[in-house]
């Protein structure tokens, strides 16, 4: 929409092995975390079972990227992963509605709020699903202006209308 590339992303894994999703779809990483020396933004996507994730290597890389100035984010139950890495202490956060109580109880030093998304300084968290689009539009508006965010939002709506998703 802007006529230039404003965002680039890649799926990064601990190794080259496929990353299974909660619904059984395997996602192939395009890079290994050890190959990513400096990143601008990190987005942890995690669903059911994220509260059980406990990998010291991954936590170490997340903390390293945060120290180097990356903005750290998480979608759905991903905030559990950032919390276990110690990266949400003292921040406002949200998480999927089914995990609000468990995140609040396990990490009382995180200010957990129900809602679609929360942006607090260099941390951003989202309840998941369609709320991710709301958070994306917020980021576009903050970094590239209201007009571009509006144009992107219109594209989302046009796609819904074109595919008949309003029926």
């Amino acid at each position: 929409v802007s006529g230039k590339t404003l965002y680039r992303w890649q799926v990064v894994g601990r190794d080259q092995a496929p990353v299974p999703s909660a619904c059984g779809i395997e996602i192939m990483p395009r890079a290994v975390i050890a190959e990513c020396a400096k990143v601008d933004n990190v987005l942890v996507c995690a669903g059911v079972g994220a509260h059980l994730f406990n990998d010291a290597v991954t936590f170490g890389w997340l903390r390293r990227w945060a120290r180097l100035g990356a903005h750290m984010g998480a979608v759905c139950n991903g905030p559990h992963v950032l919390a276990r890495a110690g990266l949400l202490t003292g921040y406002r956060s949200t998480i999927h509605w089914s995990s609000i109580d468990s995140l609040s109880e396990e990490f009382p030093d995180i200010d957990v709020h129900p809602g679609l998304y929360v942006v607090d300084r260099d941390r951003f968290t989202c309840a998941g699903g369609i709320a991710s689009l709301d958070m994306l539009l917020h980021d576009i508006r903050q970094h590239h202006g209201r007009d571009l965010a509006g144009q992107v939002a219109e594209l989302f709506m046009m796609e819904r209308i074109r595919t008949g998703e309003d029926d």
Side-chain angles (χ1 to χ4, degrees):
V1 174
S2 72
K4 56 187 171 190
T5 301
L6 300 176
Y7 297 89
R8 284 179 288 124
W9 62 277
Q10 64 179 332
V11 176
V12 177
R14 187 177 191 276
D15 53 36
Q16 291 289 344
V19 179
S21 68
C23 68
I25 295 173
E26 292 186 336
I27 310 295
M28 290 300 296
R30 292 184 63 198
V32 175
I33 56 177
E35 298 170 353
C36 301
K38 173 125 173 36
V39 296
D40 296 323
N41 296 294
V42 174
L43 182 61
V44 175
C45 300
V48 177
H51 65 289
L52 302 173
F53 185 79
N54 191 9
D55 182 78
V57 171
T58 300
F59 294 156
W61 277 99
L62 291 172
R63 286 190 293 269
R64 180 178 190 274
W65 289 329
R67 278 192 312 275
L68 292 173
H71 289 198
M72 307 300 290
V75 174
C76 195
N77 286 316
H80 269 294
V81 176
L82 291 183
R84 289 216 168 186
L87 296 171
L88 290 179
T89 302
Y91 284 87
R92 289 184 72 229
S93 178
T94 193
I95 193 167
H96 189 272
W97 66 268
S98 65
S99 298
I100 290 173
D101 291 341
S102 66
L103 185 67
S104 297
E105 290 170 12
E106 187 174 351
F107 301 97
D109 52 353
I110 298 172
D111 188 9
V112 182
H113 290 265
L116 297 179
Y117 67 91
V118 170
V119 178
D120 184 1
R121 296 164 280 163
D122 57 352
R123 302 291 187 266
F124 54 99
T125 53
C126 178
I130 299 301
S132 303
L133 299 177
D134 291 307
M135 187 171 69
L136 169 69
L137 291 172
H138 171 83
D139 189 79
I140 293 170
R141 187 173 51 252
Q142 292 295 111
H143 293 100
H144 306 289
R146 183 175 297 278
D147 289 343
L148 182 61
Q151 292 172 24
V152 172
E154 284 180 17
L155 284 176
F156 290 146
M157 290 306 295
M158 294 305 293
E159 183 63 18
R160 279 187 82 202
I161 293 167
R162 186 184 67 72
T163 61
E165 291 181 26
D166 286 322
D167 297 337

